[in-house]
Amino acid sequence: MDVRVLIATAIACIGISAPLAAQDRSALSVQLETTLGDFHGRYAFPGATAAIALPDGTVAVAAVGLADVESGRAMTPDARMLAASIGKTFVAAAVLALESEGVLAQSDLLAIHLGDRPWFAALPNAQTMTIAHLLRHQAGLPDHPHLPEFEAAAAARIAEAGDAFTPEQILGFVAGRAPLFEPGTAWAYSDTGYILLGLVIEEVSGRSYYDVVQATFLGPLDLPDTIPSDRREIPGLAVGYAVPGNPFGLPERTADADGRLVWDVSVEWTGGGLASTSHDLARWGHALFGGTAMDAPYLDRLLDGVPVSPDAPGIFYGAGVAIYADTPRGPVYGHGGWIPAYVSSLRHYADHGVTVAFQINTDAGIVDDSSDLVAALEAALADLAIGAFQ
C-alpha cells in the first residue's frame, strides 16, 4: 500500500472542492434524515443520529427514533452516546502529538516508560513490545474485555453497583498469561494495549489523559459535545439498550429513570472512554483524516498500517485507524465502536473528502452479528455523501 499516494489524493480532493450552496446542504440534510428514517423503520432500533462532514467543512445532521423509549423522549442530533472504540483514534492521535513534541517515539520499548511499575514484569511480552506495537495491535496481548475472568468479575461489580476497575486492576487480568504471539509477528485487537498507551501518555506528559485530549484536540478543534465517559451521570446521554443476557449482567435498559447509568463506564478509559455526538465525530474524523488535526505533519505516521489478516487483503490497521485501501469508493479510513448498549461508526472517504458518522443506542442484533445494520447503513450513507458531489 503506497500511503503517500493515498494521502496526496485525499488532500487534493479536499482542497479543490467548492463550498456547497445553502440550499444543497439543506437538501442533503433532508436526504440524510430520510435515509436514517428508512433504516429505523426496517431495523426497529430505538434511535440513531448521523452526520456527514462535507469537503468544505460544513456538516449535515439528522436524528430518528427515541433517546428514551420508556419516557418517549425523542432522539435529537445533539444527543450524546458512548463512542466506544472510536476513542482509540484520540488515544493514537495523542501519542502522535507527543511524538511530534519529542517526548516519546513509536520505536520506544514500553519498558522505557513503564518498566518501573510493580506489575510490569508480569505482562505478556513485557520486555519486547514497543509503542508502535501497541498502537497497531501487534503486541501479542490478550483482549481483557473478552476474557471469561474479566466478564465474570465485571458482572459481579456491576451487580453490586461498585466502582470500575482501575487501569492497573485491568492489567491484572492479563498478568502472567502467555502472549498470543511475539510482538510484530501477527495482529490481534486488544483494548488492553490501549490501556497501556493511556498510562504512557500520562507518564510522559505529566497530565491526565483527558486533560491531554482536551488541550490538544477537543478545545482547539471546537468539539464541545465530546466529553469523558468517566462518570455515571453524562449530560445529554441517550439511554442505551443492551442485549438481554449479555456477559456483564446488564439490564436491557442501562440507565435509571433519571438517565443515570447503572454501571460505571469509566472502566473503558483509553480503550474508548468518550461520549460524543455524530456531529462531533464527523468533524473529528474530517480533521484527523484530512490532515488538519495537528500543526505538525502526522498523516504518514497515522496511516502507516500493518495487515490485519492474510485472509483480509487490503485491510490494514494504522495508528488507531482501520484502513481499507481498495474499495469501490476508494480508500476508506475510520473506526467502529461498540460498548454494551451503544454502537458507533466513523468513516472517511479519502477520494471524495467526505466523512460519515452515526450512532445507535442499542447493540441488539449488532454485537452478535445477527444483523447487517451497521454495514448496510455505512454503505447507504457513504453513497449519499459521495453522491452529493456527482
Side-chain angles (χ1 to χ4, degrees), residues 121-219:
L123 293 176
N125 289 330
Q127 301 301 327
T128 53
M129 58 181 157
T130 66
I131 302 299
H133 292 143
L134 294 170
L135 283 170
R136 293 167 179 81
H137 300 296
Q138 286 196 304
L141 292 169
D143 188 25
H144 69 269
H146 295 101
L147 295 175
E149 296 85 352
F150 178 82
E151 291 178 347
R157 192 158 288 204
I158 290 170
E160 64 186 22
D163 293 335
F165 295 113
T166 66
E168 291 78 8
Q169 288 172 330
I170 287 173
L171 295 173
F173 287 95
V174 304
R177 291 179 179 268
L180 302 180
F181 47 79
E182 293 182 9
T185 63
W187 188 91
Y189 193 87
S190 175
D191 276 48
T192 314
Y194 269 71
I195 296 297
L196 287 166
L197 287 174
L199 293 173
V200 170
I201 290 168
E202 295 194 338
E203 173 71 19
V204 302
S205 70
R207 295 177 288 168
S208 77
Y209 164 69
Y210 286 123
D211 284 347
V212 171
V213 169
Q214 178 64 44
T216 310
F217 303 118
L218 303 184

Side-chain angles (χ1 to χ4, degrees), residues 36 39 49 55 70 88 96 123 151 157 223-224 236 298 302 310 350:
L36 201 57
F39 273 81
T49 62
E70 289 73 20
K88 288 183 174 69
L96 297 184
L123 293 176
E151 291 178 347
R157 192 158 288 204
L223 302 173
Y298 65 88
L302 181 79

Side-chain angles (χ1 to χ4, degrees), residues 215-244:
T216 310
F217 303 118
L218 303 184
L221 297 177
D222 189 25
L223 302 173
D225 293 328
T226 304
I227 60 175
S229 53
D230 61 351
R231 66 206 72 180
R232 294 175 186 266
E233 296 178 357
I234 298 176
L237 187 72
V239 174
Y241 296 86
V243 176

Side-chain angles (χ1 to χ4, degrees), residues 8-375:
T9 301
I11 293 174
C13 288
I14 293 170
I16 63 175
S17 298
L20 202 64
Q23 63 267 28
D24 292 333
R25 289 197 301 271
S26 177
L28 181 59
S29 294
V30 171
Q31 290 178 296
L32 179 58
E33 184 173 3
T34 298
T35 300
L36 201 57
D38 289 344
F39 273 81
H40 182 245
R42 191 187 319 168
Y43 290 90
F45 47 79
T49 62
I52 295 173
L54 307 170
D56 66 358
T58 59
V59 182
V61 297
V64 297
L66 298 173
D68 184 332
V69 172
E70 289 73 20
S71 72
R73 175 164 60 96
M75 185 71 78
T76 58
D78 61 353
R80 289 189 176 104
M81 300 187 218
L82 302 182
S85 285
I86 291 177
K88 288 183 174 69
T89 61
F90 286 91
V91 176
V95 171
L96 297 184
L98 292 167
E99 185 177 40
S100 295
E101 294 175 15
V103 297
L104 60 74
Q106 290 187 62
S107 59
D108 287 351
L109 289 168
L110 182 63
I112 293 174
H113 302 291
L114 302 179
D116 60 348
R117 306 293 175 97
W119 41 261
F120 185 82
L123 293 176
N125 289 330
Q127 301 301 327
T128 53
M129 58 181 157
T130 66
I131 302 299
H133 292 143
L134 294 170
L135 283 170
R136 293 167 179 81
H137 300 296
Q138 286 196 304
L141 292 169
D143 188 25
H144 69 269
H146 295 101
L147 295 175
E149 296 85 352
F150 178 82
E151 291 178 347
R157 192 158 288 204
I158 290 170
E160 64 186 22
D163 293 335
F165 295 113
T166 66
E168 291 78 8
Q169 288 172 330
I170 287 173
L171 295 173
F173 287 95
V174 304
R177 291 179 179 268
L180 302 180
F181 47 79
E182 293 182 9
T185 63
W187 188 91
Y189 193 87
S190 175
D191 276 48
T192 314
Y194 269 71
I195 296 297
L196 287 166
L197 287 174
L199 293 173
V200 170
I201 290 168
E202 295 194 338
E203 173 71 19
V204 302
S205 70
R207 295 177 288 168
S208 77
Y209 164 69
Y210 286 123
D211 284 347
V212 171
V213 169
Q214 178 64 44
T216 310
F217 303 118
L218 303 184
L221 297 177
D222 189 25
L223 302 173
D225 293 328
T226 304
I227 60 175
S229 53
D230 61 351
R231 66 206 72 180
R232 294 175 186 266
E233 296 178 357
I234 298 176
L237 187 72
V239 174
Y241 296 86
V243 176
N246 59 82
F248 302 107
L250 285 165
E252 183 175 355
R253 178 188 169 97
T254 58
D256 64 18
D258 296 321
R260 185 175 186 269
L261 289 163
V262 300
W263 65 302
D264 189 346
V265 293
S266 65
V267 66
E268 192 184 31
W269 197 45
T270 48
L274 297 169
S276 189
T277 62
S278 291
H279 177 272
D280 260 18
L281 292 179
R283 291 188 64 239
W284 163 244
H286 198 67
L288 180 66
F289 303 124
T292 63
M294 307 176 226
D295 292 333
Y298 65 88
L299 273 177
D300 57 339
R301 293 174 288 149
L302 181 79
L303 299 175
D304 182 13
V306 298
V308 168
S309 168
D311 298 326
I315 302 178
F316 302 83
Y317 198 93
V321 53
I323 301 167
Y324 303 86
D326 185 19
T327 81
R329 302 174 183 87
V332 182
Y333 314 138
H335 215 291
W338 166 80
I339 193 170
Y342 299 92
V343 173
S344 300
S345 173
L346 173 62
R347 293 288 184 269
H348 177 76
Y349 299 88
D351 282 354
H352 309 278
V354 297
T355 309
V356 177
F358 63 80
Q359 297 186 281
I360 303 170
N361 61 335
T362 185
D363 61 347
I366 299 171
V367 66
D368 62 358
D369 294 324
S370 64
S371 168
D372 67 344
L373 168 58
V374 170

